[in-house]
Amino acid sequence: MGHEISKSEQNTINKECRKYFDNREPTKENTFVNESTSQVEHQESEEKDILHKIRELAQEHFHTLKRYPSKKELYTVNLITDGYLETSFMISSLLKVCITALDAERTPNSVVPEPEHNIREVLGYILNMIPYEEMEFLDKIRHILPDLETK
């Protein structure tokens, strides 16, 4: 059918066209083209700057969630503990709080002798799991993109 243009031929044509347009005398038509091109280049530059700022903020603030190694759609939350014993106490406290929450009378029993202590401990874990750094990042992104409207 027709002749396909190779990449090198296409690049040569593009260079020649640029030379032609760059060396022409300014007219109303090509001034408009240059202004439009300049506006597009300026917008692309602004978008690159915004993307660069977003990447910097992400590196600075995304710490709470870590990508799960074998599944890209999953994340892990790391809790800092002194070791296995403290980790087991954390798990035990979570279970005790669940038992206490299910107990309508909210009285101590043989399984959960100090429910207030366990509830306080679990609420502390929950506070430590809230992604404050990421929330700060989202606020900064919102200020960088002021014209963005939420739907």
Side-chain angles (χ1 to χ4, degrees):
M1 299 223 134
H3 172 72
E4 287 190 33
I5 298 174
S6 70
K7 273 284 194 198
S8 63
E9 290 173 323
Q10 188 177 8
N11 288 336
T12 304
I13 292 169
N14 287 340
K15 286 178 188 176
E16 291 300 318
C17 286
R18 276 192 212 104
K19 280 184 193 176
Y20 173 78
F21 282 114
D22 289 344
N23 293 326
R24 287 181 41 197
E25 289 292 320
T27 66
K28 190 175 188 178
E29 291 168 358
N30 67 17
T31 302
F32 177 74
V33 169
N34 286 339
E35 287 175 3
S36 296
T37 303
S38 175
Q39 288 173 349
V40 169
E41 288 171 353
H42 179 70
Q43 184 178 357
E44 287 175 355
S45 175
E46 283 181 355
E47 289 173 359
K48 285 180 183 177
D49 288 343
I50 290 171
L51 187 58
H52 179 71
K53 286 179 186 177
I54 290 171
R55 284 190 178 126
E56 283 180 348
L57 289 170
Q59 285 181 332
E60 184 181 333
H61 294 285
F62 277 146
H63 301 290
T64 302
L65 297 179
K66 305 290 182 203
R67 193 167 293 284
Y68 191 74
S70 63
K71 292 191 177 186
K72 288 185 178 182
E73 66 274 3
L74 297 178
Y75 294 88
T76 63
V77 177
N78 292 325
L79 297 174
I80 299 171
T81 69
D82 288 334
Y84 288 106
L85 186 59
E86 185 182 1
T87 303
S88 65
F89 284 136
M90 291 169 80
I91 294 168
S92 174
S93 294
L94 289 167
L95 292 170
K96 289 176 183 178
V97 167
C98 292
I99 292 168
T100 303
L102 292 173
D103 185 13
E105 297 176 8
R106 302 221 193 306
T107 56
N109 59 43
S110 61
V111 178
V112 188
E114 297 177 37
E116 297 86 10
H117 170 75
N118 296 117
I119 291 170
R120 230 183 330 276
E121 198 172 16
V122 168
L123 291 174
Y125 300 150
I126 293 168
L127 282 174
N128 289 331
M129 293 171 69
I130 296 173
Y132 292 108
E133 296 283 332
E134 285 83 349
M135 297 303 175
E136 185 178 341
F137 166 75
L138 292 173
D139 280 341
K140 288 180 180 181
I141 293 298
R142 190 183 72 227
H143 292 299
I144 289 174
L145 304 171
D147 298 331
L148 204 60
E149 291 184 12
T150 56
K151 294 183 179 181

